[in-house]
Amino acid sequence: MKDATSRYIFIWALLGLLLISQAAAAKAPEEFDTTEDTGFYYTIQKGDTLWDLSQKFYNSQWEWPGLWEMNKEIKNPHWIYPGKKIRIYLKSDKTQQLRSIETPEKPAASETPSQPAPIITPTFNYPAVNRIGFIRDKKVDTLGSIIREKDGNVMMSANDIIYIKPAGPEHFILGERYQVFTTEEVKQRIGNKTYRGVKHLIKADFTVMEVNDKYVVGKIGNSYRDATVGDSIMAYYHRDPKLEVQDHPPAIDAVLLGSEDNALMVNDYSIAFINKGTKDNIVPGQIYSVMQSQDKRSVFDGEDAVLLAPLNSGKLIVLHTEDISSTVMILSSKRDIHPGDMVN
């Protein structure tokens, strides 16, 4: 009888341990799925952003563009979803590719230095810089336009064969790359003046496969937006993805013109434009604050209304400059950012 009782106690104790271990496993979801020594998979949690994950795993929020580049399944860096997994690289050569902000190591101190230590300048790497649009005072010279896709597709994207009507056959060189773009007018009231310009949106790039007197044949490589018949062609404009960061640039008094996609609100990582450019000594890599003006209001009951100080809405970095504008990216936002907000 005593042996039977002991066996029952042992069985119930074993069942209890199994139930406790299962409950603990259910309570603590697995966030890290270790693979090879090059890194691991991280399960996205509610509230995560690429900006925050870069700070968490690389000790720098500036790493997020490289993190996005290495996880090509993320189509829009502003939208990452709980439960999905992304790869975090650690020990391979890809780690170096991820380094969006690079701070060179200080040289070893010598007992008798012969020259001053070099100034260390952080850099920001944005791999997608060649796809961003820009605003000029007039449309760029058009080399030609798309007249059709080989199979008659209305929307054209990567690997499609396109036919182009050239403005002149001398404009196209076999094997060279070109860009497909479209334009729209920008008109915005700023103070007592009206800002005017032409927004250029890059849709794709292609390589010339054949040049004839009447048409040019090309194959689309990178596709950022669907190309259509009538879209214009311009020379491929290569921009350096590595920018020297200037966190405290000279003061400016600029206005946010809006985003590439004309959204009513400009979100984190969105590409947008401001109304100042090279004529105002703006260069890529400069970081500015986005400010939101407040209405006049009474601070205390019964007193006259006063204009309160602007609210800091977030930060942006300059990616590209033209004479009358700059293309920027919103790095972070504390509140909703809208076209017309101040930049300084």
Side-chain angles (χ1 to χ4, degrees):
M1 182 69 178
K2 186 179 293 184
D3 290 341
T5 303
S6 299
R7 283 197 298 271
Y8 281 125
I9 292 173
F10 175 76
I11 292 171
W12 281 109
L14 183 60
L15 288 173
L17 288 173
L18 287 172
L19 290 172
I20 291 171
S21 62
Q22 289 176 357
K27 187 175 182 180
E30 184 181 50
E31 292 187 18
F32 302 95
D33 181 13
T34 303
T35 57
E36 55 193 63
D37 64 351
T38 56
F40 56 85
Y41 284 98
Y42 170 79
T43 302
I44 298 170
Q45 306 297 305
K46 184 177 181 180
D48 280 344
T49 66
L50 291 184
W51 178 270
D52 296 330
L53 294 179
S54 296
Q55 177 66 43
K56 180 176 182 178
F57 293 112
Y58 302 110
N59 199 32
S60 171
Q61 295 172 331
W62 298 93
E63 302 287 353
W64 75 263
L67 186 58
W68 177 30
E69 180 71 10
M70 289 299 173
N71 288 274
K72 297 186 181 299
E73 69 278 6
I74 301 177
K75 302 302 181 184
N76 185 337
H78 185 63
W79 297 104
I80 58 174
Y81 300 95
K84 298 291 185 180
K85 291 185 178 182
I86 62 172
R87 185 69 175 272
I88 306 295
Y89 293 93
L90 292 180
K91 297 181 181 179
S92 70
D93 291 339
K94 292 180 180 178
T95 305
Q96 299 304 319
Q97 299 176 36
L98 271 173
R99 294 303 176 194
S100 303
I101 281 289
E102 299 173 352
T103 304
E105 294 182 1
K106 292 183 178 180
S110 61
E111 295 182 1
T112 56
S114 58
Q115 59 185 6
I119 298 175
I120 299 174
T121 303
T123 58
F124 176 75
N125 187 48
Y126 186 64
V129 69
N130 288 317
R131 65 179 291 176
I132 62 175
F134 54 88
I135 296 176
R136 291 186 180 178
D137 56 353
K138 61 181 181 179
K139 183 178 178 179
V140 302
D141 293 335
T142 301
L143 304 182
S145 60
I146 297 177
I147 53 177
R148 63 162 294 172
E149 193 271 338
K150 180 181 178 181
D151 297 323
N153 294 325
V154 177
M155 301 295 184
M156 307 166 206
S157 57
N159 298 318
D160 283 345
I161 305 298
I162 57 176
Y163 290 83
I164 298 147
K165 180 180 180 181
E170 69 279 2
H171 291 314
F172 292 91
I173 301 174
L174 192 66
E176 290 292 315
R177 294 171 71 186
Y178 297 84
Q179 289 181 313
V180 181
F181 74 101
T182 187
T183 60
E184 60 183 67
E185 181 185 8
V186 177
K187 182 179 178 182
Q188 187 166 325
R189 191 73 176 174
I190 301 175
N192 58 359
K193 296 182 179 180
T194 300
Y195 177 91
R196 297 178 185 274
V198 179
K199 182 196 299 183
H200 296 67
L201 294 177
I202 310 300
K203 288 191 168 185
D205 62 55
F206 67 92
T207 301
V208 173
M209 302 171 60
E210 182 181 343
V211 178
N212 294 305
D213 292 338
K214 295 184 178 180
Y215 64 88
V216 172
V217 182
K219 182 177 181 180
I220 295 179
N222 297 305
S223 176
Y224 313 122
R225 301 171 177 85
D226 288 332
T228 58
V229 171
D231 284 344
S232 301
I233 308 299
M234 67 178 177
Y236 185 82
Y237 188 27
H238 177 75
R239 287 169 277 198
D240 190 350
K242 184 175 289 188
L243 312 174
E244 290 190 358
V245 174
Q246 299 182 38
D247 202 8
H248 300 285
I252 61 169
D253 183 15
V255 171
L256 192 71
L257 297 173
S259 66
E260 275 193 321
D261 55 2
N262 298 320
L264 295 178
M265 290 190 298
V266 187
N267 300 313
D268 291 359
Y269 317 136
S270 293
I271 302 299
F273 308 97
I274 62 174
N275 68 325
K276 301 291 183 179
T278 53
K279 289 182 178 180
D280 305 284
N281 299 316
I282 296 181
V283 297
Q286 291 176 336
I287 295 177
Y288 291 101
S289 296
V290 183
M291 309 297 291
Q292 194 173 92
S293 60
Q294 299 191 78
D295 297 330
K296 285 186 176 182
R297 63 187 68 181
S298 297
V299 180
F300 301 104
D301 292 339
E303 292 191 0
D304 293 335
V306 296
L307 185 62
L308 300 180
L311 298 172
N312 190 323
S313 297
K315 287 188 176 294
L316 59 79
I317 185 169
V318 177
L319 299 177
H320 172 78
T321 55
E322 297 285 344
D323 284 347
I324 65 167
S325 72
S326 295
T327 306
V328 303
M329 182 179 65
I330 305 300
L331 291 174
S332 62
S333 58
K334 301 177 181 178
R335 53 184 55 83
D336 292 340
I337 294 177
H338 304 87
D341 284 351
M342 300 177 291
V343 177
N344 53 42

